[in-house]
Amino acid sequence: MHHSVLSPMGPEAARIAELSWLLFLGGAAIFLLVMLLLALALGGGPGVRRRLGARRAILAGGVAFPVLVLSALLVHTLGVAAALGLGEPAPLRIEVTGRQYWWEVRYPDREVVTANEIHIPVGRAVELLVDSGDVIHSFWVPSLHGKIDMIPGRVNRRRFSLDRPGVLRGQCAEFCGTQHALMAFFVVAEEEAEFERWLERLRAPVAKPEEPFLAQGWQAFGQAGCGACHAVRGTPWAGRSGPDLTLLGGRLSLAAGTLDNHLATLAGWIAGPQDIKPGNRMPAFNTVLDGPELRAVAAWLESLR
Amino acid sequence: MATETETRRAPGGGAGKDGVRPADRPEQERWRLHRMLAELRDDAGDLAEHLLLHWRLILGLVVAAGFGALAFAWSGLYSVAATAGHYPLFRYFLAYGLRQSVETHTISISVPSNLEDPALLRRGAGHYQGGCSPCHGAPGQARNPITRRMLPEPPYLAPRIADWGPAQLFWIVKHGIKYAGMPAWVAPAREDEVWAVVAFLQRLPELDVPGYRQLAHGETAEATTGAGEGLDLLLLNGPVGNGIAACARCHGAAGAGDPTGAFPRLQGQTEDYLFAALQAYALGTRPSGIMQPVAAELNEAEMRLLARHYAGQGGPALAAPEPASGASLALGRRIALEGLPERGIAACAGCHSPKPEGVHPYYPRLSGQVPGYIAGQLELWMRGVRGGKHEAPTARIMAHAIGIDPDRPPAREDLWPLRRQEIEAVAAWYAADPPTGPAPALAER
């Protein structure tokens, strides 16, 4: 998994990584130079010390050098930043809305909605549009691009692409409430064909399962009212205040990077989400669903892959 | 000292009178004021001087008075018997203190504008019959002879209502009166219920016996006990007979609610839900000063029987007192079926409307429910009165579903996730939705 500025997965991230290296190395070089001058000033011969203390040396090292270096860096950074905003026309559009404490992901041209996981085909230009449904969040996938603020009532855009397949971790980078730390997500970079297959699965309507245990899960899911907040594609449940659950079983994590995704964690989450991630919007269903129902609901949701 | 000041200032005053500016009235007034203030200052100075001179004497007097009072209490000569009454002077003093206390404490209470609402009146009357009339009596009902021997004797209220304004009645009903045997409201958070009692109290002086019975007993006003209530009720008329009678006064024997919309419809709810509600009321976890005293009288078996009785009833919904506008119904329909995701409001229908998988037995059915009840309960959630940490977990599910953190409810009405108009719209839409039949028995779950 990639979660570092120094492990770039695409050309945009690579430019940011180059800039980072330039700053690290340049900073280190200047630091060494200053230390060298300090050593000379303390221990050098009288001639060296006189030259270091001369008005000309102070003007050159204290005024001219920083002004030149910082101005050059500014021009270079602005150039990099400007180049990052450019991209090929007609890219794949992905909309992400930050919510306390999860991420709604939409592919408007492909008419699908998902949550907490963004699939991106390798080599395709992507336009990312982010906003927020409540407070200010910040979308940050260090191996993908810089931080992008998510501001209520404003859409911020970035263009980027990814060079190679892999999983990138993202994190909310603007304090947004008690569970800010547990507001992560994953970007899955995959080959074009695999991406299309994923979209196909996401678009396929979910039918009522035949298997009795899973059918019990379907029944309990509806009866407990889960569909008031959650949507599952092709079912009567179309709630939009919580994450879309289509293909939930195939996701890399539960509750926005909080838990590993398997039957036990899912059942535990449904029973007591406030014990795991206090202050999130999901209420506990441990009294509404009994043990077998809880397991059945979790099993049915895990079967959606 | 005072005379000295006076003589010193007098020439100044005289100069004003017959000097350069004759008959300058404000000037004169000012002089007089100055003189008065100076005298007052001098008097206060004299007093302080005396106190300082004789402080031992004064302290001695105060201590002696304290010991005297203690000795009087110790001797037990004062009779605390209710039969002994109060000395007339002391009685006037207490009455004066009571009046002043109530007036001072009600300065900032604003009176709601809906006190004429028939539903509020009926709700207040229903509670008055069960909670107040034993001590205070009612048209056609004498006060309990035992409570009449209290001191002070609880007054028959009708002729006394005019002495107080609505805010003062509210304060007395909510807080009770110290040392007078007047209890405080059982659920202090339910100010809406207290106002219902105030609405009724204001009407009380005009009521005759049939008028009162109509308000306080609803559909059971004319019925003789047990008649026309069906076999079911007749069977119940053992230990639960009293329970049913108390329920029926407000909710009707078949749980159809009340034509004014004062009380919720109980028909068609599940036995599980009604039983849980009765338990929550009895324990006070679901706060209600009207329901708690009634529910707390029941034991578990009686609660079961009552829940089963009302869950088994069916019938059409009562017509809403005021039909809602088309726009309001459309807004209510949208909220009920789709929710308001941008504000974290889930679709109400997800839990409260009939669907193929069935509605969970712990969730109330809202189709055909009285609109005032739905709106009132939503308001309680918005204000954080419901969904608190002591209430059943389903009440917390509801809080989350309407965008409220039950541990940190909105501080002000303009922060409510649902606006008042939207609350009324969704209540109106559910009220107009045809109700489902009797709920399936518990055994089916």
Side-chain angles (χ1 to χ4, degrees):
Chain A
M1 196 192 316
H2 305 270
H3 189 200
S4 167
V5 176
L6 302 179
S7 149
M9 292 288 283
E12 290 76 16
R15 302 208 65 160
I16 293 175
E18 279 163 23
L19 195 61
S20 309
W21 279 119
L22 176 72
L23 289 173
F24 293 148
L25 295 177
I30 292 170
F31 178 73
L32 288 177
L33 178 69
V34 172
M35 288 301 116
L36 179 69
L37 292 177
L38 181 67
L40 284 176
L42 289 173
V48 178
R49 294 177 62 161
R50 195 179 325 111
R51 241 168 285 154
L52 276 177
R55 170 176 285 264
R56 253 173 70 191
I58 290 170
L59 277 179
V63 179
F65 181 75
V67 167
L68 274 175
V69 170
L70 291 178
S71 305
L73 265 181
L74 179 69
V75 171
H76 179 65
T77 313
L78 288 176
V80 170
L84 283 177
L86 302 174
E88 298 134 65
L92 172 68
R93 277 198 301 159
I94 302 177
E95 298 173 350
V96 181
T97 301
R99 298 187 191 280
Q100 282 173 324
Y101 303 96
W102 59 283
W103 313 79
E104 182 179 286
V105 180
R106 298 178 300 272
Y107 294 75
D109 310 316
R110 320 299 288 264
E111 291 170 354
V112 295
V113 179
T114 181
N116 300 332
E117 202 163 295
I118 308 173
H119 284 239
I120 292 172
V122 166
R124 281 273 292 278
V126 175
E127 180 170 24
L128 183 74
L129 298 95
V130 303
D131 69 349
S132 166
D134 35 52
V135 299
I136 298 179
H137 303 275
S138 183
F139 179 100
W140 190 32
V141 188
S143 300
L144 181 75
H145 210 300
K147 292 176 186 172
I148 314 168
D149 280 347
M150 307 175 107
I151 297 165
R154 181 192 155 86
V155 177
N156 278 330
R157 299 153 189 273
R158 290 291 185 281
R159 290 190 184 196
F160 63 86
S161 59
L162 288 166
D163 295 333
R164 54 204 162 99
V167 175
L168 295 70
R169 189 177 181 278
Q171 169 72 42
C172 179
E174 181 71 53
F175 181 75
C176 58
T178 48
Q179 292 305 336
H180 163 68
L182 293 182
M183 183 171 165
F185 64 103
F186 292 97
V187 172
V188 178
E190 56 199 4
E191 298 297 346
E192 181 88 33
E194 216 173 313
F195 172 71
E196 289 299 334
R197 273 200 299 279
W198 175 76
L199 276 183
E200 213 48 58
R201 287 204 308 279
L202 199 55
R203 258 206 301 261
V206 173
K208 185 172 178 176
E210 300 288 325
E211 210 265 301
F213 187 52
L214 299 185
Q216 189 196 350
W218 161 288
Q219 170 88 12
F221 183 91
Q223 215 184 41
C226 309
C229 295
H230 297 286
V232 179
R233 199 169 176 104
T235 68
W237 306 309
R240 288 195 294 128
S241 39
D244 186 291
L245 300 181
T246 317
L247 294 195
L248 178 73
R251 286 193 200 145
L252 291 168
S253 77
L254 289 176
T258 305
L259 298 169
D260 287 345
N261 184 8
H262 50 75
L263 199 71
T265 49
L266 180 55
W269 172 259
I270 299 168
Q274 294 299 326
D275 302 323
I276 296 169
K277 197 171 168 179
N280 87 87
R281 294 266 160 88
M282 165 120 171
F285 281 86
N286 54 344
T287 50
V288 170
L289 298 169
D290 58 23
E293 285 172 332
L294 208 54
R295 283 193 289 278
V297 170
W300 172 61
L301 288 171
E302 284 295 326
S303 76
L304 306 176
R305 286 163 189 269
Chain B
M1 272 165 89
T3 17
E4 206 182 85
T5 323
E6 213 172 312
T7 37
R8 232 191 288 134
R9 295 252 161 100
K17 217 182 275 174
D18 18 320
V20 210
R21 288 171 293 167
D24 194 353
R25 283 194 64 89
E27 191 74 355
Q28 265 182 19
E29 291 282 314
R30 211 163 63 223
W31 274 118
R32 198 176 308 154
L33 194 70
H34 272 279
R35 203 159 57 215
M36 264 171 63
L37 279 176
E39 279 170 25
L40 209 63
R41 215 166 34 233
D42 293 338
D43 288 347
D46 289 350
L47 184 65
E49 212 168 292
H50 275 97
L51 287 179
L52 278 175
L53 271 175
H54 305 290
W55 68 271
R56 285 182 196 82
L57 176 68
I58 291 159
L59 189 70
L61 283 175
V62 168
V63 170
F67 273 110
L70 212 60
F72 180 61
W74 172 83
S75 71
L77 289 174
Y78 180 78
S79 170
V80 294
T83 46
H86 290 305
Y87 302 112
L89 194 64
F90 190 54
R91 197 167 62 231
Y92 287 125
F93 177 73
L94 286 177
Y96 176 74
L98 167 69
R99 155 85 38 196
Q100 291 308 107
S101 172
V102 173
E103 285 188 356
T104 301
H105 283 87
T106 50
I107 286 172
S108 60
I109 294 179
S110 55
V111 180
S113 56
N114 65 339
L115 290 187
E116 297 294 312
D117 183 352
L120 218 55
L121 264 175
R122 176 84 173 85
R123 207 174 298 148
H127 177 73
Y128 185 90
Q129 172 60 25
C132 316
S133 72
C135 292
H136 289 293
Q141 290 173 41
R143 283 168 289 168
N144 182 319
I146 295 178
T147 60
R148 286 194 69 174
R149 296 295 282 161
M150 288 165 65
L151 182 75
E153 177 187 337
Y156 180 66
L157 287 182
R160 308 285 287 271
I161 295 298
D163 296 349
W164 304 100
Q168 296 164 340
L169 290 173
F170 171 84
W171 192 83
I172 295 172
V173 174
K174 184 177 175 199
H175 296 282
I177 298 175
K178 217 183 258 185
Y179 306 131
M182 170 70 189
W185 193 252
V186 169
R190 293 297 303 272
E191 297 195 338
D192 56 314
E193 294 180 331
V194 180
W195 282 116
V197 172
V198 173
F200 165 75
L201 287 176
Q202 290 204 298
R203 181 64 64 88
L204 179 63
E206 311 156 19
L207 290 175
D208 54 6
V209 177
Y212 175 77
R213 280 194 69 79
Q214 202 56 47
L215 268 182
H217 293 261
E219 62 167 52
T220 61
E222 268 109 69
T224 48
T225 320
E229 289 179 3
L231 184 62
D232 240 13
L233 261 182
L234 222 55
L235 286 174
L236 287 172
N237 252 339
V240 199
N242 284 335
I244 269 283
C247 305
R249 222 162 11 84
C250 296
H251 295 283
D258 182 82
T260 60
F263 306 107
R265 196 181 127 85
L266 303 181
Q267 291 178 350
Q269 300 300 340
T270 62
E271 185 185 329
D272 271 335
Y273 171 74
L274 292 175
F275 178 71
L278 278 174
Q279 278 202 315
Y281 277 133
L283 292 169
T285 52
R286 179 172 172 179
S288 169
I290 295 177
M291 277 305 294
Q292 186 172 352
V294 182
E297 291 279 303
L298 303 168
N299 65 30
E300 200 172 320
E302 290 166 341
M303 288 183 189
R304 267 282 166 228
L305 279 169
L306 286 170
R308 191 167 304 157
H309 166 74
Y310 280 115
Q313 308 293 315
L318 297 163
E322 300 161 45
S325 72
S328 175
L329 286 177
L331 174 66
R333 181 177 192 279
R334 186 161 70 84
I335 297 171
L337 299 184
E338 296 166 28
L340 296 169
E342 67 280 6
R343 280 190 248 150
I345 311 281
C348 316
C351 293
H352 297 292
S353 292
K355 4 174 224 180
E357 319 83 63
V359 178
H360 197 283
Y362 290 177
Y363 299 161
R365 277 93 178 123
L366 297 186
S367 301
Q369 185 53 282
V370 167
Y373 171 74
I374 301 179
Q377 295 295 308
L378 275 169
E379 268 194 54
L380 292 182
W381 259 288
M382 298 289 155
R383 285 168 38 207
V385 176
R386 291 207 62 187
K389 57 173 158 293
H390 301 299
E391 211 180 335
T394 40
R396 292 173 79 78
I397 293 182
M398 175 65 182
H400 282 279
I402 50 175
I404 284 187
D405 179 348
D407 299 322
R408 268 175 235 91
R412 302 190 307 274
E413 186 174 333
D414 50 328
L415 298 175
W416 290 4
L418 273 177
R419 305 193 172 96
R420 202 171 279 273
Q421 172 205 359
E422 292 162 341
I423 288 177
E424 272 154 24
V426 82
W429 185 79
Y430 263 114
D433 199 33
T436 43
L442 183 64
E444 282 180 35
R445 188 164 126 73

